[in-house]
Each structure stands twice: as structure tokens, then as C-alpha cells.
Amino acid sequence: MENRALGAGAFLLTLKLPLPEFPHPGKFLHIKPTSEGSDPLLRRAFSIFDCDPGRGTVDVLYKVFGRGSAILSRVPAGHQLDLLGPLGEGFPIPDGDRNLIMVGGGVGIPPVYLLAKYCLMHGHAAAKITFLAGFGTAAESCMSDRVGTLPIELKISTDDGSQGHRGFVTDLLRAHLSTAAATTVFACGPEPMLQAVQNLSREFKVPAFLSLESIMPCGVGTCLGCVVKKDGEEKYLRVCREGPVFSADEVEL
């Protein structure tokens, strides 16, 4: 195992985890560091960023936001983690004829990167895949380095204009939806970004699938600590069990 700092508070965790098959994009791992006793008490949910079946490794990209991720950032190489997964329902695998737009905001990049890689591995034309990555500043865009290794179009936005388009990644999405036909959108990032993607999918009448970021205390649907309201109904869906990926028309953000 390796736990490498990338700068701007981001880390790349490489796990020795020989999965029986390439993970379905959008599924997540539930991880608890064991290096500091029982703290944190519960596992944290992390999207699978990448997988190398030949080496038997899985990569997890994360940013330090709270105590749990801060403890994880201090875990040394070679340490054993308490881990459950892959869990949850991932992205639907898109039809090969459609144009695909992947939208990643900050550390929301991992599941949509894995989907783009999965589609390429299964013959989807690279020319039909566009990746839009949004960050606060250029210093945070190191997380897009691996996306840049894929033979697809990559466009970057930063809030302060220090790299790529100055503004939100959804500005780039609007421009693409204005010209692209037969398009499906896949997105992961902070909730305001997902709300904007949801609104654009309705405005342009294109299907969109959103991977929600949420605290998932149990990770298997028993504690109800991660529910989201079902759109138009007095019902709630568990992000960890029915998601984390939902159709944009399915949930109320």
C-alpha cells in the first residue's frame, strides 16, 4: 500500500486489493484506518478511482476534509486497513452510439474517470467521450493528470481562471450541450455542481446520471444516515444502497 500526497490537500491511496474483476464504475469502498486505534469509529466511503488488475491494486483519490480523512492521510505504507467493498450501485454502462460527457468537480473526478476508462476498454469510440473537469484553482488540478492520459477530449475550468476556462465546469457543460446530439451526461462532485448538472439535463432534455457524495456511516443501507429525497414523492432513497449513482430525474437535490 502507498499513500501519496499530491498537494492542495489531495492524496492518492494505492491498495493491494486483487478484485475478481474490473470494478463497476461508480461503486465505492468503505475504509477505516486502523492506525490510531478505534478513531475514527466508523468507516468512510471513497469512490474507486482506478484499478490495475495486472498488479492487483486499486487507487483511491481523496482530499482531507475532516478527522477521518485526516487520519487516513497519516496511514503509513504497508499498513493494513479495515475495508468493505466494492459497494453500491454504479453508473449504467452507456450505449456505444452515444456521445458521453463526463463531468468531475474536484475530488468528484474518480468515478467518472473510471467510467471513461471502462468505456474505452469495451470499445466505445474515444472521439465520442468528452471529460470536463472543474477545480477551484490550478493548484488543485493535479487530480486531472491521470484523466489526461486517456485518449479523450479533456477541458478544465477553474473558479479563479488560473487554468482553462474561468468559471464553473457547468459553463463548459452548457456549451457542449448546445451543440452535441445524442448525449448522455455522467457527473460527480459537490452538490451545487450536481444541482446545476441536473438543471441543465432538464433544460436540454438529455439523460444524466449523478454520483452523490454523502456521509455513509454503515455503507450497506441499515442506518439510514445517507438518505436523499426521491423527486416528486414522499420517499427517501439510501445513497449507499440504491446509489450512490442516480438518474438526475430520480432525486431531489
Side-chain angles (χ1 to χ4, degrees):
M1 192 204 79
E2 184 182 25
N3 199 10
R4 182 162 58 94
L6 301 178
F11 288 79
L12 184 67
L13 177 67
T14 299
L15 303 170
K16 190 70 176 175
L17 189 64
L19 297 174
E21 58 186 14
F22 196 87
H24 190 104
K27 286 181 174 285
F28 65 92
L29 299 175
H30 216 214
I31 299 174
K32 180 180 181 299
T34 56
S35 54
E36 299 185 20
S38 58
D39 189 20
L41 182 63
L42 302 172
R43 300 187 189 95
R44 301 292 194 271
F46 298 92
S47 295
I48 299 173
F49 182 28
D50 208 349
C51 178
D52 185 337
R55 297 174 58 208
T57 59
V58 169
D59 286 345
V60 173
L61 176 67
Y62 68 98
K63 199 166 186 178
V64 173
F65 285 113
R67 196 180 76 253
S69 52
I71 292 172
L72 183 62
S73 72
R74 297 193 291 269
V75 171
H79 196 82
Q80 191 166 4
L81 299 171
D82 179 347
L83 185 150
L84 193 64
L87 300 172
E89 296 293 330
F91 288 107
I93 303 305
D95 188 295
D97 292 334
R98 295 192 68 82
N99 292 303
L100 312 180
I101 300 181
M102 312 294 176
V103 185
V107 286
I109 279 180
V112 281
Y113 163 81
L114 193 67
L115 178 62
K117 182 174 179 176
Y118 186 95
C119 290
L120 291 170
M121 289 169 57
H122 289 80
H124 205 108
K128 288 180 173 288
I129 303 176
T130 300
F131 202 108
L132 309 178
F135 305 96
T137 68
E140 299 172 16
S141 69
C142 60
M143 291 178 271
S144 68
D145 287 355
R146 194 168 301 192
V147 181
T149 66
L150 299 180
I152 60 176
E153 182 182 25
L154 168 62
K155 291 192 174 181
I156 293 175
S157 71
T158 50
D159 295 350
D160 65 356
S162 51
Q163 184 176 357
H165 168 76
R166 182 189 183 96
F168 297 137
V169 69
T170 45
D171 300 340
L172 299 177
L173 177 60
R174 172 178 286 281
H176 273 262
L177 291 178
S178 299
T179 58
T183 296
T184 303
V185 178
F186 303 88
C188 184
E191 188 166 312
M193 187 203 89
L194 295 182
Q195 286 175 328
V197 173
Q198 186 182 54
N199 291 337
L200 287 170
S201 75
R202 290 170 174 166
E203 178 181 339
F204 287 91
K205 296 181 172 50
V206 298
F209 296 91
L210 313 177
S211 180
L212 305 192
E213 296 177 332
S214 175
I215 297 172
M216 304 181 200
C218 76
V220 293
T222 58
C223 75
L224 306 182
C226 63
V227 295
V228 61
K229 194 170 184 299
K230 188 168 185 178
D231 191 44
E233 297 184 33
E234 288 303 317
K235 287 181 64 177
Y236 288 86
L237 301 168
R238 298 165 294 183
V239 175
C240 69
R241 191 63 179 263
E242 284 78 43
V245 175
F246 297 96
S247 165
D249 291 330
E250 193 176 6
V251 291
E252 182 178 308
L253 299 177

